[in-house]
Amino acid sequence: MKILIFWDIYGRIGRKALIKELPGLQEKYAPDFIVANCENITSGRGPVLQHVQAMKEVGVDVLTGGDHVFDNLKSIGEYLDDTETSLLRPANFYESHTKVPGVGYKIVQKGDKRLLVIHMIGQVFMRYNVRNPFLYIDELLGSIERSSYDVAILDFHAEASAEHYGLAFHVDGRIGLVFGTHTHIQTNDELILDGGTGVIADVGMNGPLYSVIGATYASVQDRFLSGITKGKIEQSLDPRYVVNGVCALFDDVTWHCLSIEKIRLRDTL
Ligand SMILES: [Fe+2]
Ligand SMILES: [Fe+2]
């Protein structure tokens, strides 16, 4: 099974860049599934429904929402709760008296191939207080019948690379690929562990190349110079873009990871 993975699609430039590059990448890799993260897809913030649908129309099978998933809840709340939804929110929020919208994992099927996509968020340097991802992934995998899917992949949306690697070792042999998202910077560390789990600390973003992880420097410089965090973060509309992703290949018998190929395309819209 072959899966193309694109993460942190950032604003207008990120949408246009991925839509432009996707046909060529589909032809080159002939993936069974395409997954992508859209936490910054709408002007650098969480998705509106129209942008989720735009990604579905160009062939993305499953999307995840990261820590920005609820930014435009009015637009996507109903879709998150739809049984046919393709948009996941992090699975390891605490369930309390207030129901958290949406679901954190999904099995998608094409022909005889079944992919389990799980989305979780980390605890280190992240803004949400979430359930321990190490303990929660054990609980989650224990609740999903192993015979109901072939390959499992985990989008572990987190800041610290040590947390990605700790979790990858924790699930080695149980999940096909643990890939990090959220930092927007692709890491050069792809590795397959002894039990067959592939890992990469961050897949990288799809968006404006000359930017501060997608935003203009002018709109965020006060945060660096004075520490003041007020003011709107503006998406960069510089047409020079980067499309980051990975193509992961899995064995059709063991469902272990066989290879992780990084994709990093740079061009101008
Ligand atoms: Fe992001
Ligand atoms: Fe994020």
Side-chain angles (χ1 to χ4, degrees), residues 46-52 65 68-82 85 87 101:
V48 294
L49 186 56
Q50 176 194 349
H51 292 156
V52 172
H68 289 281
V69 64
F70 302 134
D71 285 354
N72 284 300
L73 194 55
K74 268 190 187 159
S75 173
I76 52 130
E78 214 171 292
Y79 182 70
L80 279 170
D81 279 327
D82 190 309
T85 191
L87 176 62

Side-chain angles (χ1 to χ4, degrees), residues 34-202:
I34 301 174
V35 295
N37 169 282
C38 61
E39 76 159 354
N40 306 110
I41 199 168
T42 301
S43 305
R45 295 180 53 76
V48 294
L49 186 56
Q50 176 194 349
H51 292 156
V52 172
Q53 284 167 337
M55 290 299 115
K56 289 285 293 172
E57 280 165 21
V58 294
V60 177
D61 298 297
V62 179
L63 295 111
T64 66
D67 55 303
H68 289 281
V69 64
F70 302 134
D71 285 354
N72 284 300
L73 194 55
K74 268 190 187 159
S75 173
I76 52 130
E78 214 171 292
Y79 182 70
L80 279 170
D81 279 327
D82 190 309
T83 53
E84 297 295 310
T85 191
S86 297
L87 176 62
L88 304 179
R89 48 92 166 160
N92 55 327
F93 283 121
Y94 287 98
E95 295 288 348
S96 68
H97 62 289
T98 308
K99 186 193 171 302
V100 181
V103 291
Y105 73 90
K106 181 180 176 78
I107 296 170
V108 280
Q109 181 158 4
K110 277 188 190 169
D112 61 350
K113 292 181 175 166
R114 301 165 304 169
L115 173 68
L116 167 62
V117 183
I118 305 170
H119 185 29
M120 289 208 309
I121 207 164
Q123 289 184 304
V124 181
F125 306 135
M126 298 295 284
R127 61 177 164 156
Y128 289 121
N129 175 23
V130 291
R131 297 180 67 177
N132 181 316
F134 293 74
L135 301 179
Y136 188 67
I137 194 67
D138 291 343
E139 195 178 307
L140 190 63
L141 289 174
S143 71
I144 305 170
E145 188 59 52
R146 181 64 188 89
S147 60
S148 65
Y149 61 90
D150 302 316
V151 170
I153 62 172
L154 169 61
D155 164 20
F156 189 38
H157 197 78
E159 188 77 45
S161 49
E163 198 176 15
H164 293 117
Y165 272 77
L167 192 63
F169 276 98
H170 185 69
V171 298
D172 189 16
R174 294 187 288 160
I175 285 183
L177 180 69
V178 175
F179 57 97
T181 58
H182 178 70
T183 74
H184 295 202
I185 305 298
Q186 188 180 75
T187 52
N188 189 28
D189 64 319
E190 69 277 18
L191 184 69
I192 297 171
L193 303 183
D194 290 338
T197 293
V199 57
I200 180 167
D202 206 296

